Amino acid sequence: MNLSTSYMGLALRNPLVASASPLSYTLDGVRLLADAGVGAIVLFSLFEEQLRERSARDARLIDDPAESFPEALNYFPSIAEEDGGPNSYLALLERAASAVEIPVIGSLNGVTPEGWTEYARAMQDAGAAAIELNIYYLPGTAEISGREVEQRHIDVLERVKAEVSVPVAVKLSPYFSSTAEIALRLEDAGADGLVLFNRFLQPDVDSERLALAPGVGLSTPADARLPRTWIALLRGRVKNLSLAATGSVEGRADVANYLLVGADVVMVASALLRHGAGYATVLLDGLTAWMARKGFDDVGQFRGLLAVPPEADAAAYERAGYVTAMRAANAGAFAPW
Ligand SMILES: Cc1cc2nc3c(=O)[nH]c(=O)nc-3n(C[C@H](O)[C@H](O)[C@H](O)COP(=O)(O)O)c2cc1C
């Protein structure tokens, strides 16, 4: 069974990738994921806010050299021992990249084009095989136009691309007026891959405590439908862009389902958080068992089989599917009578 695949030019032993999550917080976690068989690992994100905080501290040291005298050393432990900060992130990345034989991808999470994108180069120097750029941008004011939001994505990508020679993927939100257009613009601006989709933090309401309850929930099976729809639509339209699926890979069929609509790689976080890193082996066994049952011995034989054909009018295609589904629903499937 040949599961080997290519993601942004990286040769992977299989298309299952550990998505950014706390599972990669430690070197042991990274090793467990690699031992479980994943094709690549995306480390958890380093956030723009952490990098800015770090730069501000460095600037304070330069402005006030007294801080750097031995008697002021009490200033340093907070930097040296920072948990999950830039230094420890880069140190982990470096150790992870040499400890495992699969590509380790660094994740940068930011939204403004200045003052932090140079960390992409630091990640590359530390051994990152690629950079995943998570642009988590929620325009909080009504004055920002959709075009400005899109341009922000292009600007951030271009800054990061200017820093590195390794491939760069953009982890994208699903909330664009024209997702295919921004995908193609990002491709033109030099993106090597798209990771579809970022999940926005959607705080819950705790009516007993009369408070908002933030927190990152694990995904549910229905979350896979949106990325699958867009990967199917984009597959035949992007030229050199790799497509990574992220969201709701839980059961044995989910990896195959994403590959069928055209994903180059399939990322997983929640299922590994629920069942442990070793669950990657279960997912891979599920994929090979399904391939054997269907008579495939290479992922290339079925990747994109269910993608929207490039020659199809995508809008009409989607609309036709929608109308058919709604007619079926109204004809009785969901009717209470
Ligand atoms: C606890 C937790 C932490 C996460 N941390 C990050 C992160 O640091 N950076 C990032 O880009 N995505 C992060 N994600 C999102 C995942 O990488 C993934 O894209 C998302 O959860 C959907 O995939 P899943 O359904 O397999 O969980 C996190 C998700 C979870 C559940």
Side-chain angles (χ1 to χ4, degrees):
M1 209 53 97
N2 180 18
L3 297 187
S4 64
T5 196
S6 167
Y7 177 49
M8 302 192 287
L10 305 172
L12 307 193
R13 61 187 173 185
N14 66 62
L16 188 67
V17 172
S19 197
S21 88
L23 289 163
S24 55
Y25 272 174
T26 62
L27 189 59
D28 282 348
V30 169
R31 282 208 181 97
L32 280 175
L33 290 166
D35 291 347
V38 296
I41 297 169
V42 184
L43 283 200
F44 61 95
S45 291
L46 193 51
F47 294 86
E48 172 183 350
E49 290 73 8
Q50 291 172 284
L51 300 171
R52 289 188 178 285
E53 200 179 299
R54 169 62 196 254
S55 304
R57 282 194 223 165
D58 288 352
R60 281 205 301 275
L61 280 177
I62 292 165
D63 289 348
D64 186 359
E67 290 275 26
S68 62
F69 289 146
E71 55 272 28
L73 272 181
N74 60 349
Y75 185 82
F76 287 101
S78 62
I79 294 177
E81 293 164 20
E82 59 194 337
D83 188 17
N87 280 355
S88 56
Y89 189 97
L90 294 174
L92 172 68
L93 178 55
E94 192 165 5
R95 283 186 294 150
S98 56
V100 297
E101 297 200 333
I102 54 174
V104 177
I105 298 172
S107 169
L108 262 179
N109 194 317
V111 77
T112 64
E114 270 152 38
W116 58 279
T117 47
E118 62 275 12
Y119 275 88
R121 179 185 295 248
M123 285 186 179
Q124 173 177 298
D125 293 345
I131 306 293
E132 186 172 290
L133 181 59
N134 184 332
I135 306 180
Y136 187 103
Y137 184 38
L138 263 183
T141 76
E143 283 76 41
I144 300 175
S145 73
R147 211 57 181 167
E148 284 172 86
V149 173
E150 291 161 8
Q151 190 57 44
R152 174 73 69 93
H153 284 69
I154 305 293
D155 293 344
V156 174
L157 171 67
E158 285 178 344
R159 292 292 178 119
V160 169
K161 281 293 288 185
E163 295 287 342
V164 295
S165 54
V166 293
V168 178
V170 179
K171 193 168 185 177
L172 206 59
S173 142
Y175 306 120
F176 286 93
S177 298
S178 179
T179 303
E181 200 239 10
I182 184 70
L184 296 183
R185 283 185 73 197
L186 288 164
E187 181 176 33
D188 286 346
D192 301 281
L194 288 184
V195 183
L196 305 172
F197 286 111
N198 213 352
R199 283 165 66 212
F200 276 130
L201 179 65
Q202 296 165 348
D204 212 346
V205 171
D206 184 334
S207 55
E208 288 306 317
R209 289 175 49 242
L210 301 181
L212 288 179
V216 183
L218 301 185
S219 53
T220 59
D223 295 341
R225 294 189 172 208
L226 191 61
R228 275 209 304 260
T229 302
W230 276 109
I231 289 168
L233 284 165
L234 287 173
R235 178 70 281 164
R237 279 151 187 86
V238 295
K239 293 176 276 297
N240 303 310
L241 203 56
S242 286
L243 297 175
T246 174
S248 297
V249 172
E250 183 62 47
R252 290 158 194 265
D254 294 329
V255 182
N257 288 349
Y258 270 130
L259 294 171
L260 278 166
V261 294
D264 292 292
V265 292
V266 180
M267 297 189 170
V268 56
S270 292
L272 303 185
L273 287 163
R274 278 195 188 100
H275 310 294
Y279 191 68
T281 314
V282 175
L283 292 172
L284 286 165
D285 288 348
L287 176 64
T288 46
W290 173 84
M291 285 171 65
R293 208 152 36 81
K294 293 291 166 193
F296 298 122
D297 55 23
D298 189 310
V299 286
Q301 291 166 341
F302 63 92
R303 175 179 285 120
L305 211 60
L306 301 182
V308 176
E311 65 281 3
D313 175 342
Y317 196 91
E318 277 302 296
R319 178 86 194 155
Y322 169 72
V323 172
T324 309
M326 292 311 278
R327 276 195 176 153
N330 290 329
F334 293 104
W337 50 86

